[in-house]
Amino acid sequence: MRFEKYPFEKLSELLKDITPNADYELSALTIGEPKFDTPQFIQDELKNTTSFLQKYPASAGLPELKEAMLSFVKNRFNVELQMSEIIPTFGTREVLFNFPQFALFDKENPVIAFTNPFYQIYEGAAIASRAEVIHIDLTKQNNFKATLSDEELKRCDLVILNYPNNPTSAEMTKEELGQWVKKALEFDFILVNDECYSEIYFDEKDKPVSLLEASVEVGNTSFKNVLVMNSISKRSSAPGLRSGFIAGDKEILEEYMQYRTYVGCASPVPLQKTAALAWSETSHVDGFRKIYKRNFELAQEILGIKPPKATFYIWLEVEDELEFTKNLYKEKHIKVLPGSFLGRNGIGKGYVRIALVENEERTKEVLTRLKDFIDG
């Protein structure tokens, strides 16, 4: 198996011969990148810590950054981790790519399972690991919730879930995630949840849960075989800060930390110091949530779409996602991402992903344009 082109490359090829309607300004609703300025206090901290560029960054991360991340986990999920149960990472993209290679390296015939549709790094990691892939198909019929048979789980060495989910916006309950933890212990596979959308939610009384919470709930307080990954990118509108973490099973993390000393992906010290401040502050995150919530209220008013509980994506069902994407670009100068570019084996076909990452005024204008196209 070879590395596939990224979804955005496929989109460029799909649209390359189309001349869009020049009456409209381009609106790109394709990428999950917040279109808001990074909060000023984060920018100021970065400017104030440039003197630390003279230092090599430690692979294990600054103690103050780890403390900030531990406090985030405790305050957000009521899970108290030890220093040995968390590792700061250079965002989550690098760890999602290299952790499977570490975990599967000594397996003779490695098997990895991950949710489908998916963030393409999962597939890239599988290819780099020469692993057999089991797709966990997310469909309307199963409410986009991850399930596998015991026969399939017995074969797995590593399973990657992604909840809240990109691109479907689906969630899993603590009880449902707890069942996955039990299966990871029963069949002895490593279970990972990619939780980078956990902080984009709209109801304080109904927040997304963490796999760590589910692990504690079912009595696995040592987090054996259980790991989560999270990032500051969406939470703080700071994808360029490249601050994430992997947390959970300390025995796995101890060996993985040794591996990371060879990888050379430690975050520069000014970024770590800035990230420590960003992870510790929460009021700015509340502000971003209000914007996203309003965007979904507009989507409900204009398109009649029921808002999700988390993420900033609409997983819009259409008749033909490729024709929809091409015609929408041609007639209304709007870019969306065909769902089939995010899935395999027909999963994602008949959907487009729409990222609501602009301000209210911009979102209202583009959704109105989209409604006109659908009605036409």
Side-chain angles (χ1 to χ4, degrees):
M1 184 184 294
R2 295 184 179 275
F3 292 102
E4 286 223 16
K5 292 181 179 179
Y6 230 58
F8 308 109
E9 293 180 72
K10 294 181 181 180
L11 180 64
S12 295
E13 289 185 1
L14 181 71
L15 303 179
K16 66 180 180 181
D17 296 324
I18 299 175
T19 300
N21 188 339
D23 291 340
Y24 300 105
E25 182 182 349
L26 172 65
S27 291
L29 309 179
T30 53
I31 190 167
E33 179 182 70
K35 303 299 182 184
F36 311 112
D37 289 341
T38 301
Q40 192 61 47
F41 79 94
I42 296 177
Q43 296 187 47
D44 290 343
E45 181 69 7
L46 183 58
K47 294 172 188 175
N48 294 336
T49 53
T50 55
S51 62
F52 291 98
L53 287 170
Q54 69 176 131
K55 296 180 178 293
Y56 280 114
S59 297
L62 292 174
E64 64 203 79
L65 176 57
K66 294 183 75 171
E67 289 285 1
M69 291 172 167
L70 291 171
S71 294
F72 162 75
V73 174
K74 176 68 169 68
N75 293 332
R76 172 64 176 83
F77 302 112
N78 196 30
V79 174
E80 197 148 356
L81 297 174
Q82 305 302 313
M83 278 282 196
S84 58
E85 294 173 325
I86 196 166
I87 298 174
T89 61
F90 197 62
T92 52
R93 183 170 177 164
E94 63 96 348
V95 65
L96 282 164
F97 185 67
N98 67 47
F99 178 80
Q101 295 175 66
F102 156 79
L104 301 174
F105 176 77
D106 59 353
K107 305 295 182 182
E108 186 173 349
N109 297 295
V111 177
I112 181 173
F114 50 78
T115 45
N116 178 35
F118 52 84
Y119 178 34
Q120 196 156 321
I121 292 299
Y122 307 163
E123 182 178 79
I127 295 169
S129 304
R130 292 182 167 85
E132 177 188 345
V133 172
I134 297 175
H135 290 111
I136 307 173
D137 294 341
L138 308 182
T139 66
K140 186 165 62 172
Q141 288 69 36
N142 62 24
N143 294 316
F144 306 108
K145 296 194 177 189
T147 58
L148 278 184
S149 68
D150 284 359
E151 288 69 26
E152 291 169 310
L153 291 173
K154 288 174 184 176
R155 301 182 56 235
C156 291
D157 298 297
L158 173 65
V159 173
I160 302 177
L161 304 179
N162 170 216
Y163 288 94
N165 184 254
N166 166 25
T168 71
S169 293
E171 285 190 84
M172 292 187 76
T173 66
K174 188 185 298 184
E175 292 72 25
E176 289 166 337
L177 288 173
Q179 291 303 310
W180 272 97
V181 174
K182 291 178 180 178
K183 293 296 183 182
L185 296 173
E186 180 181 356
F187 299 121
D188 196 26
F189 60 82
I190 298 174
L191 177 63
V192 172
N193 193 28
D194 174 4
E195 300 182 354
C196 72
Y197 291 93
S198 71
E199 302 315 289
I200 309 301
Y201 60 84
F202 313 115
D203 185 348
E204 285 293 325
K205 297 179 180 179
D206 191 16
K207 303 176 186 178
V209 298
S210 171
L211 185 64
L212 296 176
E213 293 177 88
S215 187
V216 171
E217 186 76 10
V218 298
N220 184 24
T221 55
S222 67
F223 309 108
K224 178 176 171 54
N225 290 359
V226 169
L227 296 163
V228 303
M229 300 173 189
N230 212 325
S231 164
I232 210 167
S233 298
K234 324 294 182 186
R235 172 187 184 270
S236 298
S237 190
L241 198 54
R242 309 312 304 138
S243 180
F245 64 75
I246 180 171
D249 188 323
K250 65 181 180 182
E251 292 187 9
I252 295 174
L253 292 182
E254 181 179 8
E255 294 185 22
Y256 179 54
M257 187 63 248
Q258 188 66 37
Y259 166 88
R260 289 183 65 82
T261 61
Y262 291 89
V263 175
C265 55
S267 178
V269 176
L271 293 185
Q272 291 195 49
K273 286 185 170 289
T274 303
L277 180 64
W279 280 108
S280 300
E281 214 278 338
T282 59
S283 62
H284 71 287
V285 191
D286 294 334
F288 289 133
R289 286 193 201 105
K290 290 177 182 176
I291 296 172
Y292 293 129
K293 182 176 182 179
R294 178 57 186 152
N295 285 350
F296 277 111
E297 289 172 348
L298 288 170
Q300 186 170 29
E301 294 168 12
I302 296 169
L303 299 178
I305 290 171
K306 181 181 178 181
K309 293 182 179 180
T311 84
F312 41 56
Y313 295 120
I314 295 173
W315 190 233
L316 182 66
E317 191 168 8
V318 298
E319 186 173 342
D320 183 322
E321 79 281 4
L322 299 182
E323 288 302 311
F324 184 94
T325 299
K326 290 190 291 184
N327 291 328
L328 178 62
Y329 179 62
K330 180 180 180 180
E331 296 179 25
K332 297 295 183 180
H333 210 171
I334 297 172
K335 286 185 179 181
V336 295
L337 195 61
S340 56
F341 291 179
L342 297 166
R344 300 292 180 265
N345 307 322
I347 299 298
K349 184 176 175 61
Y351 290 89
V352 294
R353 191 187 76 175
I354 299 172
L356 298 186
V357 291
E358 300 271 10
N359 61 35
E360 178 180 343
E361 181 181 4
R362 181 74 169 151
T363 298
K364 184 175 183 179
E365 188 276 329
V366 71
L367 288 178
T368 301
R369 222 191 302 169
L370 178 58
K371 177 68 160 58
D372 289 343
F373 171 77
I374 293 172
D375 288 348

